[in-house]
Amino acid sequence: MNNIEFKVVSNDCCTPSTTCGSESATQDGQLLEMKNDISELPVAIIGAGPVGLAAAAELAIRKQSFIVFESGSRVGHNIREWGHVRLFSPWQYNMDKAAQSLLHEQGWVSPSPDELPLGKDIVDKYLEPLAAHPSMNPNIMYNSKILAVSRKDTDKMKSANREKQPFVLYVETEGKTTRYEARAVIDASGTWGHSNPLVASGIWTEEERSVEEQIYYGIPELNSEHQTRYKGKRIAVVGSGHSALNTLLDLVQLKEADPSTELYWIMRKRKVEEAYGGEGNDQLEARGELGSRIHQLVSTGQIHVVTPFKIEQLIKDGHQIQIMGTMNGEESKISHIDEIIVNTGSRPDFSFLEEIRLSIDPATESTLMLAPLIDPNVHSCGTVRPHGQKELQHQEKDFYIVGMKSYGRAPTFLMATGYEQVRSIAAFLAGDLEGAANVELDLPETGVCSINNASASSGESCCSVPATQSTSCCN
């Protein structure tokens, strides 16, 4: 399993374990003859986060060759940026079964299934040990950014013999671009770093970009640097999902230290009560408690709620910002804002997939067959039925988008859902059609989302957290 035949087709070398050449490569000191049979090529996995590494683990236990490309210097690069945030789903929903099987081989001790981990715990206690496993470590390439994916010598327009051609991935590592061939591609790159704008129409404007130094997208860690940035300021938090709730809780602590800090919570929901979720009815206790705590803070006046407010424009006013929009159909504005924190979800990046024949839903930007199953106008995290390889197919054979990115803009993703996605795909690629078709998933009821929640379509449902990949079960 460690001596994988990577079909490297450029002249530049960029992996420590591979010497590149047009006909052969060496790995672990052994000369590997390149083969022309596409079935003998590895599966390429984009992203070494929880779902990407789960895909690798699922392939590893089935003795299927793979290579993982990670743009960061270590596994879980994106999670490290919100490592200070505690998830409200316990460990039992955050680990892949195949990954656990590999880890137990190395004497790994599993965290308590009922414990609530921080983001950094997911990396330190789970992803790092998994990446170090002998069947995984040699096959993960770090600092490797995917520039483009295509079919070998076949652009998007060409159909003849298309499925018989291997995929070719253009990968930038340490300033060099190398081409790798693969028999299948699993895109687990997520949506991190591609935040939605705060304007209600979903459009990025020059006005928003012009004040970006006063805007933070995500949940800031209120360390000494950020305390200085926000302490004693008038702050607007935009969004109504769990990312926004977590942000507000942290800012309230800052307000307690400096009462001159003012907090404005801007959302599009008809009533603030819709953002509290199930509270005591949520099967995930920590998630329900989050809504209850925010409810209390709003009731005691520590947070000023502005809803339903639809942002249309930002205007720079000296060192401050005016937020212009409409409220109940009438023009309105919020003045003298010093800082804005945006928790409005994320969207997928398809820029490096321009030569792949994707099947994408025009509304959710999710995989086409998945869209009716996850539409936030209809579904919550807990009402999405199990799905796998069949629902994740694209027009491009053996190409899959998994994890948060497979949901597009829909904020109803659960980490456990991603694990079942890649288990089904790995089974299919290994020739186990029955295993691929047999998809099962045990999810907690959210106690949060209403199927009639019209605001869900704006990315403000029960699970808007995963859209920023910041916290909760919905990663």
Side-chain angles (χ1 to χ4, degrees):
M1 189 56 210
N2 292 344
N3 294 327
I4 292 176
E5 301 180 5
F6 300 139
K7 185 74 175 287
V8 183
V9 294
S10 81
N11 292 323
D12 294 329
C13 307
C14 69
T15 71
S17 60
T18 305
T19 301
C20 309
S22 59
E23 298 298 333
S24 63
T26 59
Q27 185 179 349
D28 295 341
Q30 250 184 333
L31 183 67
L32 301 176
E33 293 299 325
M34 294 304 179
K35 296 181 171 57
N36 294 323
D37 186 354
I38 187 174
S39 66
E40 296 185 19
L41 293 172
V43 176
I45 301 169
I46 304 173
V51 178
L53 289 186
E58 295 286 351
L59 289 167
I61 64 170
R62 292 171 173 81
K63 309 300 182 185
Q64 302 295 303
S65 63
F66 63 88
I67 178 171
V68 180
F69 297 102
E70 168 55 48
S71 61
S73 60
R74 294 183 292 174
V75 294
H77 174 74
N78 292 340
I79 296 181
R80 294 176 193 275
E81 297 194 23
W82 51 267
H84 61 288
V85 178
R86 187 172 300 281
L87 284 74
F88 48 63
S89 58
W91 274 106
Q92 63 176 311
Y93 294 112
N94 300 321
M95 298 181 291
D96 174 67
K97 292 180 180 178
Q100 291 182 75
S101 177
L102 292 176
L103 286 167
H104 286 310
E105 293 176 2
Q106 304 296 306
W108 174 76
V109 178
S110 175
S112 171
D114 297 325
E115 180 184 338
L116 299 176
L118 293 169
K120 65 179 181 180
D121 293 333
I122 296 291
V123 176
D124 296 340
K125 298 180 181 180
Y126 173 57
L127 297 183
E128 287 279 14
L130 178 59
H133 190 277
S135 69
M136 303 280 283
N137 181 262
N139 312 319
I140 304 175
M141 290 184 55
Y142 298 103
N143 298 308
S144 297
K145 180 181 179 181
I146 304 297
L147 301 179
V149 182
S150 186
R151 290 280 189 177
K152 183 179 180 181
D153 301 328
T154 307
D155 66 27
K156 195 174 188 177
M157 288 289 293
K158 296 179 181 177
S159 299
N161 297 317
R162 185 177 188 86
E163 294 182 358
K164 296 180 180 180
Q165 299 301 318
F167 289 95
V168 59
L169 294 90
Y170 289 73
V171 185
E172 182 181 73
T173 306
E174 297 180 357
K176 295 182 179 180
T177 299
T178 306
R179 291 175 293 149
Y180 292 84
E181 292 184 5
R183 69 181 178 98
V185 175
I186 300 174
D187 181 358
S189 60
T191 58
W192 180 262
H194 301 280
S195 176
N196 288 323
L198 54 75
V199 174
S201 59
I203 302 298
W204 282 99
T205 64
E206 287 301 317
E207 290 92 344
E208 182 169 349
R209 296 190 187 279
S210 69
V211 294
E212 61 184 8
E213 292 184 358
Q214 291 169 265
I215 301 179
Y216 187 95
Y217 299 90
I219 304 177
E221 182 177 7
L222 294 183
N223 51 26
S224 56
E225 176 186 352
H226 277 143
Q227 283 187 17
T228 302
R229 175 173 177 174
Y230 296 113
K231 192 174 182 179
K233 302 291 181 64
R234 180 175 286 196
I235 307 162
V237 177
V238 182
S240 61
H242 290 97
S243 291
L245 270 60
N246 273 286
T247 297
L248 288 164
L249 285 179
D250 289 344
L251 290 173
V252 165
Q253 293 184 11
L254 192 65
K255 179 178 174 63
E256 291 173 352
D258 186 342
S260 66
T261 305
E262 294 183 61
L263 305 179
Y264 290 81
W265 185 13
I266 303 173
M267 68 185 96
R268 286 174 262 174
K269 290 189 179 295
R270 292 165 296 177
K271 299 178 181 179
V272 65
E273 288 79 11
E274 295 177 16
Y276 300 149
E279 301 190 59
N281 296 323
D282 199 318
Q283 285 190 10
L284 290 177
E285 182 179 350
R287 184 169 56 192
E289 182 183 349
L290 180 61
S292 297
R293 291 168 65 190
I294 291 294
H295 190 167
Q296 181 181 13
L297 292 169
V298 170
S299 298
T300 56
Q302 296 189 60
I303 300 171
H304 305 294
V305 175
V306 185
T307 195
F309 190 91
K310 298 180 180 179
I311 299 175
E312 295 182 346
Q313 186 181 9
L314 300 180
I315 298 177
K316 184 75 171 177
D317 183 12
H319 296 294
Q320 295 180 314
I321 301 170
Q322 287 189 27
I323 303 176
M324 313 296 293
T326 60
M327 191 167 181
N328 293 319
E330 297 184 2
E331 292 185 0
S332 183
K333 69 178 179 179
I334 306 168
S335 301
H336 309 302
I337 296 297
D338 298 303
E339 296 282 348
I340 301 174
I341 299 175
V342 181
N343 296 134
T344 56
S346 299
R347 56 184 61 181
D349 174 22
F350 299 118
S351 62
F352 60 91
L353 301 176
E354 291 181 349
E355 292 305 314
I356 296 297
R357 294 181 174 182
L358 299 176
S359 301
I360 299 297
D361 179 70
T364 63
E365 295 187 13
S366 68
T367 300
L368 185 61
M369 292 179 65
L370 196 56
L373 306 180
I374 65 170
D375 187 342
N377 291 288
V378 179
H379 295 284
S380 73
C381 303
T383 64
V384 175
R385 70 171 174 81
H387 56 273
Q389 183 273 340
K390 179 181 178 181
E391 292 82 2
L392 294 166
Q393 294 179 69
H394 287 264
Q395 186 177 349
E396 196 77 70
K397 185 178 182 295
D398 294 332
F399 178 87
Y400 301 95
I401 295 176
V402 299
M404 184 65 219
K405 189 172 180 178
S406 71
Y407 275 45
R409 298 193 190 189
T412 48
F413 177 74
L414 291 150
M415 196 184 294
T417 304
Y419 295 155
E420 182 63 5
Q421 288 179 341
V422 296
R423 184 210 60 77
S424 174
I425 292 170
F428 180 82
L429 293 175
D432 179 9
L433 303 186
E434 182 179 352
N438 184 25
V439 290
E440 298 178 355
L441 199 57
D442 179 22
L443 300 177
E445 291 295 330
T446 65
V448 176
C449 297
S450 166
I451 62 173
N452 296 317
N453 185 359
S455 66
S457 62
S458 64
E460 298 179 348
S461 75
C462 68
C463 302
S464 60
V465 171
T468 58
Q469 296 200 4
S470 297
T471 183
S472 90
C473 66
C474 309
N475 276 286

